[in-house]
């Protein structure tokens, strides 16, 4: 007969040594297991019970997590729809249009080449004094692995519809930004370089100085020390660290500041 060996006691299904009279199949089978192989049977039963308990606990935890996820998913679905409604209503109030996202090809300039940028999101667009404007969020990612960092920005964009000299100005604390290729740093009066770095192409210094007049530089230092800007092509971009506020009053104040 086939022998099956398992456990330290050497369990076997060989009945050649079973000399008892078989008067009842079920009773003799129980006798075989619970008398001759009592320890083996007890250990296996305990193991099976433990496995069942573990499986039950696993399924209970899985069900509990699933039940917990249901309200979380429901909350975020409503939150996403509420955010869309928030910006839609705000756009109507300001006489603007709202788009959840926009293509990366709609922006250009050195600012949008730093790190790994995405595309504009939560865009409010309209007209300001006869020229197109947009206000949106933009995220830049630098580094990788444990050094990966996300840098959210709020960007205000105005299309002057006329060519502008390339000027890039950033606050000193934006260490991830260098200077655009083919440009040089300007040396400006009044301690302006202690607060901002200004980069321009070699042949655009005069145009930049016409923009950064002494009263403009003083205002930037006093009121807009966290803002940077870039003139590129026909557009001027004003950017500052942060994300849109999730309440209308705070966001309207920020929009007013950008104006």
């Amino acid at each position: 007969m086939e022998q099956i060996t398992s456990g330290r006691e050497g369990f076997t299904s060989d009945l050649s040594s079973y000399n008892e009279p078989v008067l009842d199949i079920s009773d003799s089978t129980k006798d075989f297991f619970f008398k001759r192989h009592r320890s083996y049977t007890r250990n296996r039963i305990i193991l099976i019970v433990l496995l069942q308990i573990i499986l039950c606990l696993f399924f209970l935890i899985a069900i509990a997590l699933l039940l917990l996820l249901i309200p979380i998913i429901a909350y975020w679905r409503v939150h996403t729809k509420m955010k869309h409604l928030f910006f839609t209503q705000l756009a109507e109030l300001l006489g603007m249009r709202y788009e959840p996202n926009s293509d990366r090809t709609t922006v250009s300039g050195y600012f949008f080449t730093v790190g790994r940028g995405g595309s504009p999101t939560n865009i409010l667009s309209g007209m300001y004094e006869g020229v197109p404007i947009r206000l949106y969020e933009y995220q830049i990612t630098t580094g990788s692995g444990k050094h990966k960092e996300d840098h959210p920005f709020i960007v205000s964009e105005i299309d002057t519809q006329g060519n502008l000299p390339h000027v890039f100005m950033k606050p000193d604390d934006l260490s991830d930004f260098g200077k655009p290729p083919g440009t040089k740093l300007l040396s400006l009066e009044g301690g302006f370089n202690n607060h901002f770095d200004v980069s321009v192409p070699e042949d655009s210094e005069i145009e930049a100085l016409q923009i950064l007049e002494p009263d403009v530089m003083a205002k930037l230092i006093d009121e807009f020390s966290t803002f940077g800007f870039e003139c590129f092509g026909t557009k001027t971009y004003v950017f500052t660290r942060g994300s849109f506020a999730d309440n209308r009053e705070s966001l309207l104040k920020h929009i007013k500041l950008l104006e």
Side-chain angles (χ1 to χ4, degrees), residues 169-172 186-198 214 217-218 220-222 225:
M169 183 191 81
K170 71 175 184 70
D172 275 347
L186 281 184
S187 179
L188 297 161
E189 59 184 19
F192 191 76
N193 293 116
N194 295 329
H195 303 275
F196 297 94
D197 291 332
V198 182
M217 290 192 292
L220 288 171
I221 293 172
D222 294 339
S225 60

Side-chain angles (χ1 to χ4, degrees), residues 10-56:
F11 170 76
T12 176
S13 62
D14 184 1
L15 303 183
S16 61
S17 62
Y18 188 79
N19 299 318
E20 302 294 331
V22 180
L23 303 178
D24 184 288
I25 296 175
S26 296
D27 288 343
S28 294
T29 301
K30 292 176 184 176
D31 175 71
F32 179 83
F33 276 103
F34 292 103
K35 288 184 179 179
R36 293 177 178 270
H37 298 284
R38 181 183 303 170
S39 178
Y40 169 84
T41 304
R42 184 187 65 245
N43 292 340
R44 292 307 179 270
I45 290 174
I46 292 173
L47 179 61
I48 291 170
V49 171
L50 287 174
L51 286 174
Q52 288 178 330
I53 292 173
I54 291 171
L55 285 173
C56 288

Side-chain angles (χ1 to χ4, degrees), residues 65-206:
L65 290 174
L66 181 61
L67 292 175
L68 182 64
L69 281 175
I70 291 173
I72 293 175
I73 293 172
Y75 174 84
W76 280 109
R77 286 185 66 184
V78 173
H79 183 273
T80 301
K81 293 180 179 179
M82 196 66 70
K83 185 175 184 178
H84 188 279
L85 182 59
F86 169 79
F87 281 107
T88 301
Q89 292 178 349
L90 181 65
E92 291 176 356
L93 176 69
L94 297 172
M96 304 177 81
R97 299 181 305 279
Y98 170 66
E99 296 175 275
N101 49 69
S102 178
D103 194 271
R104 175 71 179 271
T105 59
T106 63
V107 295
S108 57
Y110 173 70
F111 174 80
F112 300 100
T113 66
V114 175
R116 300 183 300 281
S119 56
T121 59
N122 295 320
I123 307 107
L124 298 170
S125 57
M127 302 294 290
Y128 182 76
E129 296 186 0
V131 294
I133 62 167
R134 295 198 307 170
L135 181 68
Y136 47 84
E137 293 178 296
Y138 185 81
Q139 182 167 287
I140 293 172
T141 302
T142 58
S144 60
K146 66 179 182 179
H147 301 294
K148 178 182 176 182
E149 288 187 80
D150 293 326
H151 309 273
F153 284 89
I154 298 175
V155 181
S156 178
E157 169 192 309
I158 181 167
D159 189 348
T160 62
Q161 300 182 328
N163 288 323
L164 299 168
H166 186 198
V167 180
F168 181 77
M169 183 191 81
K170 71 175 184 70
D172 275 347
D173 65 340
L174 291 183
S175 57
D176 294 304
F177 291 77
K179 66 184 187 68
T183 65
K184 66 176 183 179
L185 290 173
L186 281 184
S187 179
L188 297 161
E189 59 184 19
F192 191 76
N193 293 116
N194 295 329
H195 303 275
F196 297 94
D197 291 332
V198 182
S199 303
V200 297
E202 294 288 344
D203 58 350
S204 299
E205 184 173 352
I206 295 176

